[in-house]
Amino acid sequence: MSVVSKILVRKDIEGLSAAAAERLVEFANAAIDSRGSFAVALAGGNTPRELYRLLASNQYRTAVDWNRVSVVLGDERNVPPDSPESNFRMVSEELLRPLGIDENNSFRWLTEPGDPAAIAARYEELLRAKFPFDLVLLGLGSDAHTASLYPHTDALHETKRLAVANWVEKLNDYRFTMTFPVINAASNVMFLVSGSEKADAVATVLEGEFSPDEYPAQLVKPVDGDLLWLLDEAAASSLQGP
Ligand code: 6PG
């Protein structure tokens, strides 16, 4: 078991996104050079928007052969794909469409109204075909959730399924999410966290007592991969350690 856990702090969201873009391009080119393809699970939410824009900008769009990249969404909200809440919609607008990554290489959760368990089971098939991932990108909630692995939810204890419909009481809704076995099998896992409202969660996950039902992101421990926490100064501001 070799977990290399590293923390990198940048001034602000711009610096954070630039550092993330550099690494993503590096991981992508290494995988493409060695195996001909790169598989990445992307995060939703707001924080990675800037990173996705950057990757689609003139600075990076030619840095990777995007035809060899396949993209899945690590988690999704229980909304149709055209909803402003949809992670796929955000990723599509900021990254997939601008880079011309089409439906042969980008896979969304089929969240059209239906049985949540069946939606997850379909995505599990897809994940299995791409598994394990070269890179899993993650965000962190101020309650220490990551992907849609919320505190005190059933999905935290999943050891076999790769994708589940996770009932989240405080949202009064399902979230669709990859599970820890997917995250922890990746070659690289990268957290992207910005803003002072995340500072306490970052400190608790990294330096607090181990209490994973309360702080699910503590369960991110790649079995044989590297773990990188990319923080801006505000998100790192409650850390005690060096
Ligand atoms: C989602 C996520 C989730 C997110 C965190 C942080 O669908 O919301 O994938 O895990 O990464 O909640 O969200 P922000 O970046 O918006 O703060």
Side-chain angles (χ1 to χ4, degrees):
M1 176 139 163
S2 70
V3 181
V4 182
S5 177
K6 232 177 106 185
I7 302 173
L8 215 70
V9 181
R10 292 290 181 264
K11 190 171 184 305
D12 49 25
I13 184 73
E14 282 77 25
L16 192 68
S17 306
E22 287 294 326
R23 269 155 197 82
L24 192 146
V25 165
E26 200 180 289
F27 297 147
N29 287 328
I32 291 169
D33 286 349
S34 73
R35 286 196 337 278
S37 62
F38 173 66
V40 57
L42 294 181
N46 253 321
T47 311
R49 198 180 271 275
E50 182 77 23
L51 163 65
Y52 301 156
R53 278 186 192 153
L54 200 54
L55 290 170
S57 71
N58 287 339
Q59 192 182 350
Y60 285 103
R61 55 184 310 126
T62 55
V64 171
D65 180 356
W66 297 102
N67 293 320
R68 294 177 181 273
V69 175
S70 57
V71 174
V72 302
L73 271 281
D75 73 318
E76 187 55 279
R77 288 95 183 265
N78 190 15
V79 293
D82 58 349
S83 160
E85 293 286 297
S86 164
N87 281 337
F88 183 77
R89 177 172 165 173
M90 185 277 280
V91 169
S92 197
E93 286 175 356
E94 305 293 359
L95 186 80
L96 305 176
R97 265 192 257 142
L99 285 175
I101 300 176
D102 62 21
E103 59 275 9
N104 294 318
N105 283 329
S106 58
F107 306 95
R108 68 174 184 88
W109 299 78
L110 298 173
T111 50
E112 286 74 7
D115 171 27
I119 293 169
R122 266 179 98 166
Y123 212 68
E124 167 143 344
E125 280 173 37
L126 256 165
L127 292 184
R128 229 169 254 290
K130 304 286 164 197
F131 180 83
F133 288 89
D134 297 300
L135 172 65
V136 171
L137 191 67
L138 295 172
L140 184 74
S142 48
D143 62 357
H145 79 259
T146 190
S148 282
L149 297 155
Y150 279 78
H152 305 289
T153 56
D154 289 348
L156 305 188
H157 305 284
E158 184 57 52
T159 57
K160 293 199 173 59
R161 303 283 312 278
L162 304 187
V164 295
N166 194 24
W167 178 257
V168 184
E169 196 61 49
K170 69 177 170 188
L171 304 176
N172 192 33
D173 205 353
Y174 284 100
R175 283 291 189 95
F176 300 103
T177 188
M178 65 185 164
T179 56
F180 285 110
V182 177
I183 298 172
N184 290 332
S187 306
N188 291 282
V189 178
M190 197 158 78
F191 274 96
L192 215 60
V193 195
S194 164
S196 55
E197 67 282 9
K198 306 286 178 68
D200 287 350
V202 167
T204 313
V205 170
L206 287 172
E207 296 177 338
E209 203 176 302
F210 186 66
S211 183
D213 270 305
E214 197 74 35
Y215 312 115
Q218 289 181 333
L219 291 171
V220 176
K221 290 178 185 170
V223 176
D224 202 16
D226 291 347
L227 172 59
L228 175 65
W229 283 80
L230 267 171
L231 311 172
D232 66 9
E233 284 176 2
S237 60
S238 296
L239 286 173
Q240 307 287 311

